[in-house]
Amino acid sequence: MDNVENLTAWEKMKRDMNWLKKQNGGQLSPREGLVIGLARADFALAGRYAAPVLAADPDDPRAKRMMVTDYTLRDYLLSLAWGCRTISTGHLEDCDGCYYGTNWGAGGQCTFYPFSYPKRMFTALAVLTRVLDAPKFSRRVPTGEPSTYALEFRRDRKIKDYAYAFWTPRYGVDAKGRFPKGTKVVRWEVFGESEEAKAGPDGTVAVSFSGHPADLVASAPLESVEVVRHGQRDIRG
């Protein structure tokens, strides 16, 4: 929308509504919808809470796709922990037309048909199925914080070992996982980068995570997790 100065509130509202009518309201991005909502709201709290969001969260499709990926991965992990045999999240492809700006629209693992380009979610789910190969949920490892998650899955394969998923919905976290000495540990990132984790003399392995889950695969079970540092300010303020 054009930024036109010196308009009355009524004139701005009419301009925004005319623009909305031409654009097809269902195709609004979340940011555009918030701008329209602020134009129609007449109470102070709307501006108070929405202004920081508009300033800090540009209308970037890549950012929205990463947010959807984070939610989807965490849905899968929690569903596996609760023993769900069928887990359905999103579509194979994004919905076209007026659904795009709704809860149904941008939840596909690939872009619109006929292009169907794989999105971040597609790659992240492929990595998750590789890490959690034949998983059986064992336990939630205590971290000392209710919103910092560490889930243990036993991988019932020919060579049995353990996979761990770490995440928190609120801030970045640096933590240390303690394993028995001599445990082989491989660290996996959300998009498939992996490396053998070097354990300290006491058997601890460093792991960093946030809304993007991070995974460890270990030959022996994790003994404990200690949160070392919160990487950024709590989003609750």
Side-chain angles (χ1 to χ4, degrees), residues 159-213:
I159 300 177
K160 299 185 185 299
D161 53 13
Y162 299 84
Y164 296 90
F166 302 85
W167 82 90
T168 177
R170 284 171 35 191
Y171 37 60
V173 165
D174 295 331
K176 293 190 300 183
R178 186 183 301 276
F179 292 90
K181 291 184 179 180
T183 302
K184 181 180 179 181
V185 182
V186 176
R187 184 186 295 112
W188 286 83
E189 300 299 334
V190 66
F191 293 123
E193 295 182 1
S194 64
E195 62 178 357
E196 186 170 348
K198 295 181 180 180
D202 57 352
T204 58
V205 172
V207 57
S208 299
F209 50 91
S210 60
H212 319 322

Side-chain angles (χ1 to χ4, degrees), residues 11 52 62 67 69 83 97 132-133 167 236:
E11 289 171 335
R62 293 173 299 176
M67 180 181 67
T69 299
L132 297 183
D133 186 11
W167 82 90
R236 298 181 307 171

Side-chain angles (χ1 to χ4, degrees), residues 73-84 149 151 153 167:
L73 290 175
R74 279 145 40 188
D75 281 347
Y76 269 77
L77 289 167
L78 290 173
S79 297
L80 287 170
W82 281 101
C84 298
Y149 294 84
L151 303 185
F153 297 88
W167 82 90

Side-chain angles (χ1 to χ4, degrees), residues 42-54:
D42 58 357
F43 50 92
L45 284 180
R48 175 182 170 187
Y49 287 105
V53 176
L54 289 171

Side-chain angles (χ1 to χ4, degrees), residues 91-105:
H91 303 273
L92 180 60
E93 296 156 330
D94 283 336
C95 295
D96 203 348
C98 64
Y99 285 104
Y100 185 75
T102 70
N103 290 333
W104 298 94

